[in-house]
Amino acid sequence: ALRHSDRALAVDSAGARTSALHTALLATVHAQAGNHDHARSLARAAIRRAAQVRSARVDARLRVMTQALSGNQPRPSQTATGTQPRHDP
């Protein structure tokens, strides 16, 4: 996904909603890959594009992006089981 990200954002026919969705997704992927500076830059662009539309899907994607940027993502085992990790003292 990261190799083709520039082409995905360069699509001229993409509307504001599609552009916001794609940009937020790329920011999420970059954050997960540890490319934090690029992720933050993309996140700012995603937020600017999202401001142009009203979309529950865009809002949901922005929430996921924000979680990825803040490092508060559930671990794969949590996602699969729906449980929270135990915090042993």
Side-chain angles (χ1 to χ4, degrees):
L2 295 178
R3 289 185 302 184
H4 304 290
S5 62
D6 292 336
R7 277 189 277 157
L9 295 179
V11 177
D12 291 334
S13 63
R17 180 178 172 271
T18 299
S19 181
L21 285 167
H22 287 256
T23 306
L25 177 60
L26 288 171
T28 301
V29 171
H30 276 284
Q32 292 168 339
N35 305 326
H36 301 291
D37 290 338
H38 195 56
R40 283 190 291 273
S41 176
L42 287 167
R44 286 189 291 274
I47 291 167
R48 282 192 304 274
R49 291 172 181 156
Q52 300 173 25
V53 297
R54 294 178 69 140
S55 167
R57 226 175 127 202
V58 169
D59 292 344
R61 184 77 51 91
L62 290 176
R63 281 191 296 276
V64 171
M65 178 190 76
T66 302
Q67 288 175 339
L69 287 166
S70 69
N72 292 328
Q73 294 196 83
R75 291 183 228 158
S77 60
Q78 287 176 254
T79 306
T81 62
T83 61
Q84 295 297 317
R86 289 186 353 178
H87 297 284
D88 294 327

